[in-house]
Amino acid sequence: MKFVDEAQIRVEAGKGGRGHVSFRREKYVPFGGPDGGDGGDGGSVWAVADPNLNTLADFRFTQVFRAQHGEQGWRRNCAGKMGADLEVAMPLGTMVYDEGTGERMGELTRKNSRLLVAHGGWHGLGNTRFKSSTNRAPRQFSPGSPGEHRDLRLELSLMADVGLLGMPNAGKSTLLAAVSAARPKIADYPFTTLFPQPGVVSVSPQKSFVMVDIPGLIEGAAEGAGLGIRFLKHLQRTRLLLHLADLLPPPAAGRKADVAANIRKINRELKKFSADLAGREQWLVFNKADLMDGDEAEALAKRIVGKLRWKGRWFVISAAAHRGTQNLCRAAQKWVDDAQKQERKNEQAAA
Ligand SMILES: Nc1nc2c(ncn2[C@@H]2O[C@H](COP(=O)(O)OP(=O)(O)OP(=O)(O)O)[C@@H](O)[C@H]2O)c(=O)[nH]1
Ligand SMILES: [Mg+2]
């Protein structure tokens, strides 16, 4: 399926049903009085988070969503039926904007989050409501009010705890495939991955986190080189970045590849996109260790870390041979859990 992370839709709530005008007509009851019932409220439109979706692609086909109108009132003081609400399923991480005012209406950050995007119209009143001591046979009623209509702009920024970052061919998709049920495309040419893909990493039956794979970055991406940097927005909500680096990259432009320089290049592009993201917790993950002897890979990684004066954590793995991947995921899970705990504490302190 094509990945789409922006969409425009129109939502129309139902209008309220109008009130009814009628009078009791029964045998032996003269001057029966008014008995017109109220209309029903119009249905509202809700945006609802659906964890099974991860793209806004469906909105290319359906763009208008209408909730039901309320029914009109009936005689014998029977109220009209309310219009049914309409729920529009959207992926977790969807931000909803009112296109007319530019106002941000909210975002769907949790499973089952619901956001009212168009309020249904109010019901009209039947003539019974207008009865008074001076007007015993009112013919007034009120029409229902119209439901809200809105043009919405939807923006998706995937909800993931851990983001993968790195040059094309570093093995990002191979890592995601090794540790989750996701099946991203893997190939030995650059820019195999064309859109972000999340996967759930289950470290134990009770513990899991979401990892997102994005297209590779190259020098000049901020200026549009390669696939650009717009996909970095899908890392914005992550708590941890895993920066994958190929330990044995092919020579570039006739010169011996320099892993440390590659890592610096990626981080420069990251900074151009967002200082916030550049400051996020980042671990270096040296991949393709299977192409060397065990000790050699470790020693090479150590030299690169030294050259970079890297203060953060680093790992040596082989995504293809599933070596070191479990250990990496367990460490990532612990980091995510601790970050979550800390966030909850901060929220409590603020409340
Ligand atoms: N030997 C070896 N090859 C690997 C390893 N991990 C990935 N590869 C190979 O490296 C190539 C690129 O892997 P991908 O996972 O597609 O790389 P990527 O980082 O997702 O690349 P893009 O999507 O283009 O950004 C493929 O041919 C993989 O089979 C590894 O641990 N060892
Ligand atoms: Mg890939």
Side-chain angles (χ1 to χ4, degrees):
M1 194 201 315
K2 194 170 183 303
F3 183 81
V4 175
D5 57 7
E6 274 176 22
Q8 287 192 0
I9 62 170
R10 182 168 177 78
V11 288
E12 300 184 359
K15 61 175 188 275
R18 73 177 170 80
H20 192 65
V21 178
S22 57
F23 296 93
R24 268 178 83 183
R25 275 177 230 274
E26 282 170 53
K27 257 184 182 174
Y28 317 119
V29 189
F31 309 112
D35 74 349
D38 296 344
D41 289 334
S44 298
V45 184
W46 297 81
V48 190
D50 181 343
N52 298 317
L53 297 174
N54 58 34
T55 148
L56 296 171
D58 291 347
F59 296 114
R60 284 181 305 160
F61 307 112
T62 314
Q63 275 142 0
V64 183
F65 296 86
R66 290 190 186 95
Q68 256 180 0
H69 297 312
E71 261 184 14
Q72 64 165 58
W74 303 98
R75 47 184 322 169
R76 295 175 194 257
N77 288 320
C78 286
K81 234 167 68 185
M82 278 168 37
D85 283 357
L86 180 70
E87 295 194 336
V88 184
M90 301 182 186
L92 269 172
T94 304
M95 278 176 276
V96 182
Y97 295 87
D98 182 328
E99 187 77 315
T101 61
E103 177 209 359
R104 177 186 160 124
M105 299 185 72
E107 63 187 305
L108 305 172
T109 49
R110 279 165 222 253
K111 213 158 84 176
N112 305 325
S113 295
R114 275 159 66 89
L115 187 66
L116 182 62
V117 288
H119 201 292
W122 293 105
H123 60 256
L125 302 178
N127 66 337
T128 307
R129 303 276 195 160
F130 295 90
K131 183 168 73 176
S132 67
S133 56
T134 53
N135 187 358
R136 298 188 186 183
R139 304 206 129 264
Q140 291 114 301
F141 70 97
S142 63
S145 64
E148 283 181 326
H149 288 193
R150 268 206 184 92
D151 289 309
L152 302 181
R153 183 162 50 84
L154 309 179
E155 271 186 35
L156 173 62
S157 157
L158 289 174
M159 305 288 291
D161 308 295
V162 175
L164 300 180
L165 181 71
M167 295 220 152
N169 272 339
K172 299 177 294 299
S173 304
T174 308
L175 175 61
L176 183 71
V179 298
S180 79
R183 288 293 162 257
K185 194 168 160 192
I186 295 167
D188 63 353
Y189 57 83
F191 303 116
T192 310
T193 300
L194 296 175
F195 53 82
Q197 175 156 12
V200 178
V201 182
S202 297
V203 166
S204 71
Q206 296 83 28
K207 280 194 178 295
S208 64
F209 63 87
V210 177
M211 180 184 268
V212 63
D213 175 26
I214 63 164
L217 277 184
I218 54 173
E219 192 172 19
E223 287 77 40
L227 293 177
I229 52 172
R230 60 184 286 266
F231 285 111
L232 286 176
K233 78 172 186 204
H234 294 285
L235 300 184
Q236 267 168 335
R237 287 170 154 159
T238 56
R239 298 183 164 94
L240 169 65
L241 299 178
L242 299 182
H243 185 156
L244 262 79
D246 187 340
L247 271 174
L248 284 179
R255 289 226 307 267
K256 199 166 162 275
D258 182 340
V259 182
N262 285 351
I263 291 170
R264 278 203 203 100
K265 279 179 199 160
I266 296 289
N267 275 326
R268 270 200 296 273
E269 299 303 325
L270 191 64
K271 209 169 193 170
K272 281 189 225 163
F273 176 77
S274 145
D276 177 39
L277 209 50
R280 189 133 328 153
E281 179 76 6
Q282 184 182 125
W283 298 350
L284 291 182
V285 179
F286 297 101
N287 188 28
K288 309 198 186 180
D290 56 298
L291 298 177
M292 291 177 227
D293 289 339
D295 298 348
E296 210 185 315
E298 194 79 22
L300 176 56
K302 213 174 230 167
R303 280 204 299 281
I304 298 166
V305 165
K307 197 166 162 190
L308 287 168
R309 297 203 191 87
W310 186 257
K311 301 276 184 312
R313 294 176 73 172
W314 56 276
F315 296 77
V316 177
I317 67 163
S318 165
H322 295 204
R323 239 170 46 208
T325 49
Q326 286 297 320
N327 179 38
L328 172 64
C329 289
R330 270 195 295 271
Q333 177 80 62
K334 178 155 191 329
W335 175 269
V336 167
D337 287 349
D338 289 349
Q340 255 165 0
K341 257 183 237 151
Q342 191 58 43
E343 271 164 36
R344 239 174 273 140
K345 243 188 229 164
N346 293 350
E347 267 169 32
Q348 277 166 2

